[in-house]
Amino acid sequence: MPTHDDTEPKLTREDVIKVAMLARLALSENEVTSLTQELTKIVGFVSQLSEIDTSDVEPLAHPLDSQNVFREDEPATSLKTADALRSAPRHDGECFLVPAVLGESSSA
Amino acid sequence: MSAETQHPFTTVIGLEVHVQLQTKTKLFCGCITTFGSPPNTQVCPTCLGLPGSLPVMNRRAFDLSLRAALALNCKIALFTKWDRKNYFYPDLPKGYQISQFDLPFSYEGHLEVCDPKGAFEPRTVRITRVHLEEDAGKSMHDETAGTADSRIDLNRTGTPLCEIVTEPDLRSAEEARAWLNELKLLLVYLGVSDCNMQEGSLRVDANVNLHIPQEDGRLAKTPIVEIKNMNSFRSVERALVYETERQWGEWQATKAEIGSMPKQTRGWDDSAGVTRGQRHKEESSDYRYFPEPDLVPVTVTEEQVTTIRSSMGEPPAVLRKTLADRWKIPANDAGVLVNQGPELVRYFEDLATRVGEGKVASNWMQQDVLRTLNERGGNITDFPVRPEAVADIIARVQKGDFDTSRGREIFASVVEKGASVAEVVAGMGIAAVDDSDLRALCEELIAENPKIVADVKGGKEQAAGGLIGQAKRKNPNVNPGKVRALAIELIRALP
């Protein structure tokens, strides 16, 4: 079994900056420093799980012991547009308004 | 298109196709999926990603995608699950797309494409995987309005999409287009999707690079480029032709090989006819996939697979053969009919059953029905002359009431007037219009229709069809075939 030190993950400032970018979070230099330390500890703590030999264990796809939950393809009532838009910070009565998105849609 | 023959390289193309499934409702909620509705009228807490809402899988969406996978000869995973693909974009309200990552419900299929004219060898394209995921919404930015805002319509959000990924098995733009046509036909026949590109029901991205043999025997490979924003199969073909040439030029200038830079995404600009660089493609790990906790896994039994397989009907490739055998018509006839889609095949089989002779029915389909349909545009289901009327005309020809060419005039007249065959036959004084009257009429029409005249002169003979309706209004007894022939003759004789 590997020792704890061998599996201690190294989380770099660059990792934190990248994850923050993906999460669209603007971090100060100080925050990057403190988060690098904190996240290293968290990941290190969780990585203790890797000490367990799971070679004989089926991967778990879902914690619930349930499968095949479906609904029929039957229409249900949608929200009224006004209600759909109500909690948006900005809208024009028809669409949600967001800061300019240039280029094509993300389109799955 | 013949880049491979001009240049010493192989073009390597793989496709990623998204099709919207023909369901009434979205993948995870009961909002309907009607195209073109006013913005944000088909949304609910689930597809808006509001807190506390939970997705529940649409059974029909799953069955349809299973049907697509089986038709594409895929292996079906008996256990499948969904994953979250995380990214931020205003048209994705949850901040993640529910998709499938490591356990898609199907994999390792194939679909063959042939070219009836033999422009390329039959090509078997391997399918890497088919999976089921949800669509994003639509963001609109009106640059002319000069506003700083984009408008977001979430009607499309959560629409079920089948993603079909191929191996890089295509070798030319032409092949890619032909393969896409075959795929579309297959999915339409199966009722999986209407594959309407204008409405975004079918979207294609293409990955392309060049394999260039080197003098030392090594194979140099140019960096793979993903092309997006292609809105028709013709655009796909044009974009691939352009990109092939662009990469060849780039190779000669830089000798840059795959791996020397991140994978590039380029957008196709249809009016300019060029691809343009976009943002660098994020690595797939950047999407931080993890198992979707709000959906439980799905298991599929062999019995289910068998049931779906037996209910699928014949795919186009099989139907071409069975239709030819069943009605004793040439393979080429059957190919033309099948390629027009299932409704036209139903029309043909209805007609052939009434006529009792496949070849006669097929001739009328190819010569009259299809040509008129192409001229008029629109769908066979809206075509004004139904199979019983065509069968009626054919029966009268076979009975000797009149000959085939007169029968075809009656057909054209039924199309024009929207009258019944009996009415047209009864009211027919076609021969009564003498040649000098006809000539005067045609000269009149030519003088009044400079656009049609120009089109016909330019080689678009079918444009002359536009004169027939006018001729009929001037003289209801006129013979449309003669008007067409004489008008074209007169136009050709113009200086």
Side-chain angles (χ1 to χ4, degrees):
Chain A
M1 188 174 287
T3 67
H4 189 232
D5 286 346
D6 289 343
T7 58
E8 188 76 44
K10 284 277 173 285
L11 204 71
T12 64
R13 287 181 68 84
E14 286 65 41
D15 292 330
V16 172
I17 290 166
K18 183 181 173 191
V19 171
M21 187 274 289
L22 291 171
R24 301 295 185 267
L25 293 174
L27 301 181
S28 69
E29 282 298 308
N30 286 341
E31 284 170 322
V32 171
T33 305
S34 62
L35 277 169
T36 304
Q37 290 163 3
E38 286 167 26
L39 287 172
T40 299
K41 279 186 199 154
I42 292 167
V43 174
F45 175 72
V46 174
S47 73
Q48 289 179 65
L49 289 171
S50 62
E51 290 172 19
I52 303 163
D53 181 0
T54 56
S55 52
D56 290 336
V57 180
E58 280 270 311
L60 183 69
H62 200 280
L64 292 183
D65 188 19
S66 165
Q67 291 169 345
N68 303 328
V69 177
F70 289 102
R71 45 173 274 273
E72 294 308 311
D73 183 26
E74 294 299 337
T77 312
S78 294
L79 288 176
K80 291 196 173 67
T81 303
D83 290 332
L85 297 172
R86 193 182 302 281
S87 50
R90 289 192 307 132
H91 62 81
D92 62 8
E94 222 181 22
C95 287
F96 299 91
L97 295 181
V98 299
V101 180
L102 299 171
E104 100 277 34
S105 133
S106 73
S107 282
Chain B
M1 244 159 300
S2 54
E4 299 86 80
T5 53
Q6 292 162 14
H7 300 312
F9 59 74
T10 306
T11 308
V12 177
I13 300 165
L15 300 174
E16 194 179 299
V17 181
H18 287 92
V19 290
Q20 284 182 0
L21 300 173
Q22 249 169 337
T23 55
K24 285 188 275 196
T25 68
K26 294 186 178 181
L27 185 52
F28 300 124
C29 63
C31 290
I32 56 171
T33 56
T34 310
F35 177 81
S37 300
N40 297 304
T41 52
Q42 292 163 193
V43 292
C44 75
T46 300
C47 55
L48 289 174
L50 298 184
S53 61
L54 283 173
V56 187
M57 179 84 54
N58 181 334
R59 176 179 290 283
R60 180 158 173 80
F62 185 76
D63 287 351
L64 285 177
S65 49
L66 207 53
R67 181 182 273 244
L70 286 171
L72 291 166
N73 307 293
C74 286
K75 295 176 184 162
I76 304 299
L78 300 183
F79 180 93
T80 187
K81 71 171 176 74
W82 276 261
D83 302 274
R84 287 190 184 181
K85 179 179 178 177
N86 299 280
Y87 65 93
F88 290 106
Y89 210 81
D91 63 18
L92 189 76
K94 294 197 300 296
Y96 57 86
Q97 177 197 27
I98 301 179
S99 181
Q100 299 199 277
F101 183 53
D102 58 337
L103 295 175
F105 74 88
S106 74
Y107 55 98
E108 289 177 16
H110 59 86
L111 176 66
E112 188 176 273
V113 63
C114 303
D115 183 71
K117 299 193 185 80
F120 53 85
E121 293 293 306
R123 178 75 71 188
T124 298
V125 176
R126 290 168 299 157
I127 308 286
T128 314
R129 60 189 278 160
V130 177
H131 76 238
L132 178 60
E133 63 183 28
E134 59 175 334
D135 207 344
K138 214 167 75 178
S139 62
M140 298 164 281
H141 192 79
D142 183 359
E143 280 164 43
T144 57
T147 65
D149 295 324
S150 288
R151 306 172 75 230
I152 307 294
D153 171 10
L154 297 178
N155 279 350
R156 198 177 67 182
T157 307
T159 298
L161 286 183
C162 200
E163 178 175 317
I164 299 162
V165 184
T166 80
E167 294 290 313
D169 287 345
L170 291 155
R171 292 293 174 266
S172 73
E174 190 182 20
E175 272 182 33
R177 182 179 182 174
W179 188 84
L180 285 168
N181 270 322
E182 189 67 11
L183 175 70
K184 174 181 169 177
L185 204 57
L186 178 66
L187 297 175
V188 169
Y189 267 94
L190 293 173
V192 167
S193 172
D194 63 20
C195 294
N196 185 332
M197 282 189 94
Q198 279 74 45
E199 297 184 359
S201 312
L202 188 154
R203 305 195 283 268
V204 183
D205 300 330
N207 284 289
V208 56
N209 74 340
L210 312 179
H211 289 186
I212 309 159
Q214 301 300 293
E215 279 174 10
D216 62 6
R218 197 176 63 89
L219 197 61
K221 299 175 181 176
T222 58
I224 296 175
V225 168
E226 179 173 8
I227 316 175
K228 289 180 169 287
N229 297 354
M230 298 170 291
N231 296 321
S232 66
F233 289 168
R234 184 169 149 66
S235 298
V236 172
E237 186 175 10
R238 289 177 65 212
L240 285 168
V241 168
Y242 173 86
E243 184 60 23
T244 303
E245 293 297 323
R246 193 196 65 81
Q247 287 190 22
W248 177 240
E250 187 90 356
W251 163 258
Q252 287 169 311
T254 66
K255 302 286 174 197
E257 292 192 41
I258 194 166
S260 65
M261 60 178 82
K263 182 171 161 182
Q264 205 193 355
T265 303
R266 297 181 70 87
W268 171 246
D269 179 336
D270 202 55
S271 52
V274 298
T275 61
R276 298 186 206 278
Q278 297 183 333
R279 65 178 161 77
H280 288 304
K281 181 125 177 119
E282 289 174 272
E283 291 298 316
S284 77
S285 61
D286 277 359
Y287 289 123
R288 295 148 294 145
Y289 282 97
F290 65 87
E292 169 58 65
D294 289 345
L295 289 171
V296 294
V298 168
T299 57
V300 179
T301 63
E302 295 287 0
E303 291 74 47
Q304 274 174 285
V305 171
T306 310
T307 307
I308 291 178
R309 205 189 288 279
S310 64
S311 73
M312 283 195 328
E314 292 169 313
V318 175
L319 186 59
R320 287 186 191 104
K321 190 165 174 357
T322 53
L323 201 67
D325 292 347
R326 187 150 61 225
W327 295 105
K328 300 191 172 49
I329 56 175
N332 192 49
D333 281 25
V336 169
L337 295 171
V338 170
N339 289 355
Q340 301 290 321
E343 279 112 10
L344 190 114
V345 169
R346 268 195 289 281
Y347 186 108
F348 164 71
E349 295 216 88
D350 185 350
L351 178 62
T353 306
R354 290 169 191 275
V355 174
E357 275 184 67
K359 182 59 186 152
V360 174
S362 178
N363 287 348
W364 278 80
M365 290 300 295
Q366 320 267 342
Q367 288 168 22
D368 299 276
V369 178
L370 272 177
R371 197 182 51 207
T372 313
L373 189 65
N374 289 340
E375 281 172 14
R376 292 171 57 95
N379 199 298
I380 187 70
T381 47
D382 310 322
F383 192 64
V385 189
R386 304 315 304 161
E388 47 269 40
V390 183
D392 187 4
I393 298 172
I394 296 173
R396 290 169 193 256
V397 170
Q398 288 175 334
K399 214 165 70 179
D401 286 3
F402 39 75
D403 65 7
T404 301
S405 66
R406 177 56 53 94
R408 298 178 65 185
E409 290 162 19
I410 292 166
F411 175 86
S413 188
V414 171
V415 173
E416 282 302 326
K417 292 181 175 162
S420 74
V421 175
E423 283 163 359
V424 169
V425 170
M428 205 171 54
I430 291 174
V433 182
D434 75 31
D435 285 348
S436 63
D437 286 349
L438 188 69
R439 196 176 183 88
L441 179 76
C442 286
E443 282 167 348
E444 211 179 314
L445 288 172
I446 287 167
E448 288 166 0
N449 293 279
K451 167 92 174 71
I452 292 178
V453 171
D455 285 349
V456 173
K457 276 194 91 71
K460 267 184 71 182
E461 265 192 27
Q462 68 268 31
L467 298 174
I468 289 169
Q470 300 182 40
K472 282 283 183 191
R473 281 191 291 278
K474 288 176 188 289
N475 183 344
N477 284 334
V478 84
N479 175 330
K482 285 184 176 174
V483 171
R484 167 193 292 279
L486 184 58
I488 290 172
E489 190 189 312
L490 292 175
I491 290 169
R492 287 229 182 94
L494 290 174

